[in-house]
Amino acid sequence: NAEYMGGAGGRTSIRIGPGSIVCADAELKGEIVFGLKCFVHPKARIIAENGPIYIGDSCMIEEQVLIINQLTDGALRGADDRPVMSIGSHNLFEVGCTIKAHKIGDLNTFEPKCVVESQCEISTGCTIGALCHLTSCDRMPDNCVVFGSNNQRRICGDKPQTSASLQYDLISCTANKYHNLKKAKVPAPKPNIPAT
């Protein structure tokens, strides 16, 4: 389940969960763990520079997305005192967004070319609009929508839905025809041999 590749910054350890698909053209560095049914498009960059990145289930990471774990003050720290980047489940990272936040909840959408700096914490059900740039915020409230050139905010009354799961179903059927892929290595089931 782990793939090791040497890199300039040391050893890279990638763990890809069952059903997850990572295109070979994606750039992965450092310790990265993918949950179930994630999809990483070509030219996406996930860089665990100063600590591990844990990505939950059913996340969709599109082309030219940069997810990077950089060292900052106040970051969550693991047992070995490295900052941990924790990304929840059912998140959609659209083309060209840059994500540095160390804590991201579930059911969030990051629209094209938005930037979320490391001082931000994104909770659940948030949408960061196209071209929005969040430089500093404590913890964004649940169901918050950020939009416009002034990063205006509103709380959405409806329960959030992302299209990450729907996109996965469509893309997983066609991806192997058009891309070189890295898939989880699932062990073969043990044969059921009756005891004698």
Side-chain angles (χ1 to χ4, degrees), residues 180-192:
N180 293 324
L181 306 176
K182 298 177 185 180
K183 292 186 181 179
K185 296 179 181 121
V186 180
K190 293 181 181 180
N192 189 3

Side-chain angles (χ1 to χ4, degrees), residues 39 168-179 181:
F39 191 93
Y168 175 85
D169 293 338
L170 175 65
I171 290 174
S172 64
C173 293
T174 60
N176 59 356
K177 295 178 186 174
Y178 304 104
H179 301 293
L181 306 176

Side-chain angles (χ1 to χ4, degrees), residues 24-86:
D25 292 344
E27 179 183 348
L28 307 173
K29 291 184 180 176
E31 182 182 344
I32 304 166
V33 178
F34 294 96
L36 307 172
K37 290 184 147 186
C38 293
F39 191 93
V40 180
H41 287 255
K43 305 300 181 195
R45 297 173 61 214
I46 304 173
I47 301 173
E49 191 173 89
N50 287 312
I53 298 175
Y54 300 107
I55 300 173
D57 299 337
S58 300
C59 288
M60 178 73 59
I61 301 168
E62 294 184 353
E63 293 87 350
Q64 299 175 355
V65 167
L66 171 61
I67 297 174
I68 185 167
N69 185 356
Q70 293 178 316
L71 185 60
T72 58
D73 293 336
L76 296 170
R77 298 201 178 266
D80 57 0
D81 202 37
R82 295 183 305 156
V84 174
M85 178 183 259
S86 176

Side-chain angles (χ1 to χ4, degrees), residues 6 11 17 22 26 40 43 53 55 59 64 69 85-87 93 102 104 109 121 125 153-154 161 171 175 182 196:
R11 195 169 171 149
V22 178
V40 180
K43 305 300 181 195
I53 298 175
I55 300 173
C59 288
Q64 299 175 355
N69 185 356
M85 178 183 259
S86 176
I87 298 174
F93 300 91
H102 285 93
I104 297 173
T109 299
E121 181 179 329
R153 296 179 187 194
R154 299 282 184 269
Q161 294 181 342
I171 290 174
K182 298 177 185 180
T196 55

Side-chain angles (χ1 to χ4, degrees), residues 9-162:
R11 195 169 171 149
T12 293
S13 169
I14 311 299
R15 284 188 284 171
I16 302 172
S20 289
I21 300 171
V22 178
C23 290
D25 292 344
E27 179 183 348
L28 307 173
K29 291 184 180 176
E31 182 182 344
I32 304 166
V33 178
F34 294 96
L36 307 172
K37 290 184 147 186
C38 293
F39 191 93
V40 180
H41 287 255
K43 305 300 181 195
R45 297 173 61 214
I46 304 173
I47 301 173
E49 191 173 89
N50 287 312
I53 298 175
Y54 300 107
I55 300 173
D57 299 337
S58 300
C59 288
M60 178 73 59
I61 301 168
E62 294 184 353
E63 293 87 350
Q64 299 175 355
V65 167
L66 171 61
I67 297 174
I68 185 167
N69 185 356
Q70 293 178 316
L71 185 60
T72 58
D73 293 336
L76 296 170
R77 298 201 178 266
D80 57 0
D81 202 37
R82 295 183 305 156
V84 174
M85 178 183 259
S86 176
I87 298 174
S89 297
H90 304 283
N91 290 300
L92 174 60
F93 300 91
E94 294 184 356
V95 176
C97 67
T98 300
I99 307 299
K100 299 177 184 177
H102 285 93
K103 183 153 177 50
I104 297 173
D106 302 326
L107 295 166
N108 298 298
T109 299
F110 300 88
E111 292 185 351
K113 297 192 177 186
C114 71
V115 177
V116 180
E117 297 291 348
S118 59
Q119 299 85 1
C120 299
E121 181 179 329
I122 309 299
S123 56
T124 296
C126 298
T127 298
I128 312 304
L131 297 173
C132 289
H133 191 146
L134 299 180
T135 55
S136 65
C137 58
D138 294 326
R139 182 180 188 273
M140 192 168 281
D142 288 352
N143 303 328
C144 186
V145 178
V146 180
F147 61 96
S149 59
N150 295 327
N151 296 326
Q152 297 169 310
R153 296 179 187 194
R154 299 282 184 269
I155 302 299
C156 182
D158 296 334
K159 191 167 181 153
Q161 294 181 342
T162 66

